[in-house]
Amino acid sequence: MTGPLGTASRALEELVDVTTDWTVDILRRVAAEMGHALDRDAMRDVEGATEWRDLATKEQRYATAHS
């Protein structure tokens, strides 16, 4: 297509590309934030854990607490 309609078509394609890139970036950031929030909430809910991935066994936690 040539002329004004050809230019409009290319401009519309560019708009769609930019909008898609922007939307994907936002979705990825929100997904990362949600993942961090879930980790933070899980860590807070676990008894005595400062980092939920490095939990001590129950016996170890009580042994150090009563020492």
Side-chain angles (χ1 to χ4, degrees):
M1 188 178 287
T2 60
L5 291 178
T7 303
S9 178
R10 285 190 296 276
L12 183 57
E13 287 176 12
E14 179 67 23
L15 175 64
V16 168
D17 285 344
V18 169
T19 303
T20 302
D21 290 343
W22 175 71
T23 304
V24 167
D25 181 54
I26 288 174
L27 289 172
R28 285 182 178 147
R29 277 193 274 145
V30 168
E33 289 173 9
M34 289 174 67
H36 294 309
L38 286 171
D39 280 352
R40 186 179 56 246
D41 290 347
M43 185 173 60
R44 186 181 52 219
D45 291 342
V46 174
E47 175 186 352
T50 55
E51 173 58 49
W52 74 273
R53 291 178 190 90
D54 297 325
L55 292 177
T57 64
K58 180 178 172 183
E59 292 78 20
Q60 290 172 332
R61 284 196 313 268
Y62 289 122
T64 58
H66 297 297
S67 297

